[in-house]
Amino acid sequence: MRIVHIITRLILGGAQENTLITCKELARRGHEVTLITGPAIGPEGELFEQTKGQKYKVIVINELRRAIEPVKDFISYRKIKRYLHELQPDIVHTHSAKAGILGRFAAHSIRRAKDEGQRAKDEGRRAKDEERRAKDEGRGMRDEGRNLKPKIVHTIHGLAFHPYQSEWINKFYIAIEKAAAKRTDFFISVADAMTNQALAAGIGRPEQYVTAYSAVEEEDFLGPISQDKKREFRRKYGVAIDAIVLVTIARLFMLKGQGYIIESAKVLSKRFANIVWLFVGDGNLAGHYKEQVRQLGLADRIKFTGLLPTSQIPLAIQSSDILVHCSLREGLARTLPQAMLCGVPVVSFDVDGAREVVNEKTGRLVEPKNVEQLTAACAELIENKSLRERLGKSGREFVKEKFAPGVMVDKIEEVYKILPAGHDTL
């Protein structure tokens, strides 16, 4: 199959890692894959390095940006449409909000052009007195959309509407998503929670949805890392060898929840002398959080690593004892199964798809924004090493193979294959 994936930008992030794994695995299976994306602008880091040497093609549209910019958005739409004409894909598979909207509208407009061309041809046959004009118009349409009627798939990594923004903005996003849904053959959700939320908002039909958990390169996290490397990692960030480390891997950005962790650290740091928090990531709130930590006198207890390459994330997790994730909105945070694969227990806010992997046997779920519950859950794990080990072992067994790249891409291929046969559900 000829498959085009479209995503807004290749920053360090779960949706982006998911898309790159998908493209790599599909190309490995013999499909002709192209990835269309925008520039990786921002402090979050970029993943273009991972596309080098792969068997799929990458096209960068400079105007494709995350923010709403009408002029750039229109140019991006026209460029996506032109590339689709050139590539003539069987499948157009979109990811993220902006690329999801522009990509689906562009793919559907091409599909409609072919339909119109065929109707023009039929009318020409029925009306001999207009035969030449009808044939000319039909040929023009066919040249524009020659043999091109792609199936359109969209992956929901997260939803643009959520409780933490104004009602009118949510209504705007929902209206756009409903319009795009009419131009979508199938949805792939990274968690059942995403499907339920989308359907509750009136987006698509139940038979259009399937869940495929976002793949993790499992061997990178399952493989043991030497004690020497873990000690060296701790030394690099001034963390004692015997300290209990609570790691958070997330952009330093609004709604990612580091502020709640800092609030809990104010209490826990007084109660436990040997605990350290490690914030892995960067973002526009980095300066704010560093200053807050300094003013609270916690600079020796809360460490900032800045951006780490994806290859070092397994080391960061395995060098820690507990993973804490307090984002207020996620599809299903990849850092949760990543930690579980490393045998590290997790404490997470109970949002979106978190409860699909976090339970009493694998970690602790906490009511969103509830610092008291967060503090109690962390304290329970800090105090009890055997509990940490038991939860970590159970978590590893629970997620093993569920997040393997092959499992995810098997499901995606199933979707691709059933679409031409009449959009049956899986």
Side-chain angles (χ1 to χ4, degrees):
M1 291 185 185
R2 289 182 181 178
I3 304 165
V4 172
H5 283 264
I6 309 174
I7 191 167
T8 309
R9 52 183 184 159
L10 283 182
I11 62 165
L12 283 170
Q16 291 76 15
E17 292 177 20
N18 169 299
T19 303
L20 291 182
I21 290 174
T22 302
C23 289
K24 181 173 73 172
E25 182 67 14
L26 287 171
R28 188 187 69 78
R29 296 183 183 196
H31 298 289
E32 187 177 327
V33 181
T34 300
L35 173 62
I36 297 176
T37 186
I41 296 172
E44 300 92 347
E46 53 87 15
L47 292 173
F48 277 104
E49 191 67 28
Q50 292 190 21
T51 68
K52 294 181 179 178
Q54 298 297 329
K55 296 180 179 180
Y56 57 87
K57 180 181 179 181
V58 178
I59 296 172
V60 178
I61 296 176
N62 188 56
E63 294 82 6
L64 184 54
R65 309 295 173 88
R66 180 174 183 267
I68 296 176
E69 300 183 53
V71 174
K72 284 187 171 69
D73 294 344
F74 180 72
I75 295 172
S76 297
Y77 168 79
R78 293 298 298 269
K79 286 188 175 181
I80 291 171
K81 190 172 177 179
R82 185 181 47 138
Y83 285 127
L84 295 181
H85 275 300
E86 294 173 1
L87 295 165
Q88 296 194 27
D90 301 296
I91 303 288
V92 174
H93 189 155
T94 63
H95 308 259
S96 67
K98 174 66 74 64
I101 299 299
L102 297 180
R104 283 181 283 171
F105 271 78
H108 188 265
S109 71
I110 290 170
R111 193 158 73 179
R112 186 177 59 188
K114 178 176 175 58
D115 290 340
E116 290 173 352
Q118 187 62 50
R119 284 196 297 271
K121 180 180 178 181
D122 293 341
E123 289 172 2
R125 288 172 177 169
R126 291 192 300 267
K128 288 185 177 181
D129 57 332
E130 297 181 1
E131 182 176 354
R132 184 179 299 276
R133 180 180 63 82
K135 285 183 178 179
D136 290 342
E137 289 180 356
R139 186 180 300 112
M141 289 292 189
R142 289 194 300 276
D143 287 341
E144 182 183 5
R146 179 168 50 90
N147 298 323
L148 183 59
K149 196 172 181 180
K151 302 301 178 182
I152 302 169
V153 177
H154 179 66
T155 290
I156 301 177
H157 301 275
L159 292 164
F161 51 91
H162 54 82
Y164 306 105
Q165 62 190 5
S166 69
E167 183 179 356
W168 74 266
I169 291 178
N170 281 336
K171 287 182 177 179
F172 172 72
Y173 283 137
I174 289 171
I176 293 177
E177 288 292 349
K178 284 182 176 180
K182 295 177 181 178
R183 296 159 173 82
T184 308
D185 295 307
F186 219 95
F187 294 91
I188 298 173
S189 296
V190 298
D192 293 339
M194 295 294 94
T195 296
N196 296 335
Q197 291 175 26
L199 289 172
I203 298 167
R205 306 181 307 278
E207 63 270 20
Q208 288 181 289
Y209 283 84
V210 71
T211 295
Y213 288 126
S214 188
V216 174
E217 297 286 7
E218 289 193 325
E219 293 306 315
D220 294 343
F221 294 88
L222 288 170
I225 295 174
S226 70
Q227 291 297 324
D228 286 344
K229 288 184 177 180
K230 290 191 280 190
R231 281 193 289 266
E232 178 58 32
F233 180 85
R234 287 191 172 213
R235 277 195 293 266
K236 181 177 180 180
Y237 297 104
V239 178
I241 300 302
D242 62 347
I244 296 174
V245 178
L246 290 78
V247 67
T248 296
I249 300 172
R251 289 184 293 151
L252 301 176
F253 196 69
M254 63 179 182
L255 301 182
K256 289 297 182 181
Q258 287 88 352
Y260 301 107
I261 298 172
I262 293 172
E263 286 299 310
S264 71
K266 289 162 60 176
V267 176
L268 291 169
S269 62
K270 296 174 182 177
R271 183 174 169 184
F272 302 100
N274 66 330
I275 56 174
V276 172
W277 288 262
L278 203 61
F279 285 175
V280 176
D282 201 355
N284 59 10
L285 292 180
H288 167 77
Y289 286 136
K290 288 177 181 178
E291 179 60 20
Q292 182 183 4
V293 165
R294 187 190 66 77
Q295 290 185 4
L296 290 171
L298 294 174
D300 62 331
R301 307 295 291 276
I302 300 178
K303 311 286 186 175
F304 295 81
T305 71
L307 284 175
L308 292 181
T310 55
S311 60
Q312 286 193 30
I313 298 303
L315 174 60
I317 296 174
Q318 291 196 32
S319 300
S320 305
D321 301 280
I322 303 165
L323 182 128
V324 184
H325 191 73
C326 292
S327 177
L328 293 173
R329 57 181 294 259
E330 296 278 353
L332 196 165
R334 292 162 61 82
T335 191
L336 300 178
Q338 286 173 348
M340 292 178 185
L341 289 168
C342 290
V344 173
V346 302
V347 175
S348 173
F349 278 175
D350 186 6
V351 298
D352 299 331
R355 62 173 46 244
E356 294 175 38
V357 292
V358 184
N359 53 55
E360 285 298 310
K361 295 181 179 180
T362 63
R364 294 292 182 263
L365 284 174
V366 175
E367 179 183 296
K369 297 186 177 183
N370 192 322
V371 175
E372 184 177 349
Q373 282 189 18
L374 173 64
T375 302
C378 290
E380 181 187 14
L381 270 61
I382 291 168
E383 290 177 318
N384 194 331
K385 182 178 180 180
S386 64
L387 175 62
R388 295 199 302 269
E389 291 174 347
R390 186 166 69 252
L391 294 174
K393 181 179 180 181
S394 178
R396 173 177 285 198
E397 293 304 313
F398 182 73
V399 301
K400 195 186 297 182
E401 298 183 3
K402 285 186 176 69
F403 292 83
V407 172
M408 178 186 74
V409 177
D410 282 348
K411 182 66 68 174
I412 291 171
E413 271 194 320
E414 286 180 49
V415 170
Y416 292 170
K417 289 174 181 177
I418 65 165
L419 287 178
H423 318 309
D424 295 326
T425 56
L426 294 179

